[in-house]
Amino acid sequence: MIDPKRIMNGSHGSLWVDNELWAETENFDSVVNIDYESVNIAGNLGTPRKQVGWNGTGNLTVHKVNSRVSKMMAQRVKTGQTPRLKFVGKLADPDAFGAERVAFYDVTLDSFTLRKFEQKTNMKIEIPFQFSDYDWID
């Protein structure tokens, strides 16, 4: 049986971008998508697959506190420069089994928001991203 206090609470998560804590982070998720190629084998009616690569994708949601992402990206994108970032995501629920940290390397942002507002609404910004390497830290 699972002890409910061991289920990690996302409220204890945090994100560092290029070694700077982004306290305005509300949601952070990342996925490794495995690329496969079908392999046809004589006499086998099934379709086995062989891994041929992988790609990492994710999404970051931040409370609109500042314009750090827009300011970082705006001029670089116009001049053809691709900012490459390092993310470190941490989940450390004191009631669970401890902390987990994962580093994400060669992070590129898929898009950024120049301006967004909605009356009587606390603003949030969605930031989709991709990465090409990662390491479990602990």
Side-chain angles (χ1 to χ4, degrees):
M1 186 157 121
I2 297 173
D3 182 351
K5 74 178 187 177
R6 299 299 183 196
I7 298 171
M8 297 190 92
N9 180 338
S11 296
H12 299 283
S14 51
L15 177 70
W16 285 262
V17 177
D18 288 341
N19 299 317
E20 180 181 1
L21 177 62
W22 281 21
E24 67 271 24
T25 300
E26 179 182 81
N27 176 54
F28 177 77
D29 67 81
S30 60
V31 176
V32 173
N33 305 292
I34 305 168
D35 301 324
Y36 291 100
E37 189 171 293
S38 295
V39 179
N40 294 318
I41 299 174
N44 184 347
L45 294 179
T47 306
R49 301 185 310 163
K50 176 165 178 64
Q51 180 183 340
V52 295
W54 66 272
N55 63 79
T57 61
N59 196 51
L60 168 62
T61 304
V62 296
H63 293 286
K64 174 68 171 138
V65 175
N66 53 45
S67 297
R68 74 166 93 211
V69 174
S70 297
K71 289 177 181 177
M72 172 185 62
M73 296 291 290
Q75 189 59 36
R76 292 178 183 175
V77 168
K78 288 174 70 171
T79 60
Q81 299 172 347
T82 303
R84 300 194 181 274
L85 309 170
K86 176 185 172 187
F87 286 0
V88 175
K90 178 180 177 183
L91 183 55
D93 187 335
D95 208 22
F97 285 115
E100 296 178 346
R101 289 184 301 158
V102 177
F104 303 85
Y105 306 104
D106 193 33
V107 177
T108 54
L109 306 185
D110 294 341
S111 64
F112 64 97
T113 302
L114 283 175
R115 184 61 51 232
K116 175 182 176 181
F117 63 87
E118 183 177 340
Q119 298 299 315
K120 298 184 180 182
T121 302
N122 292 327
M123 299 310 304
K124 297 177 187 174
I125 304 294
E126 301 273 334
I127 307 166
F129 64 90
Q130 296 187 35
F131 57 95
S132 67
D133 197 7
Y134 64 93
D135 286 316
W136 280 93
I137 299 171
D138 50 33

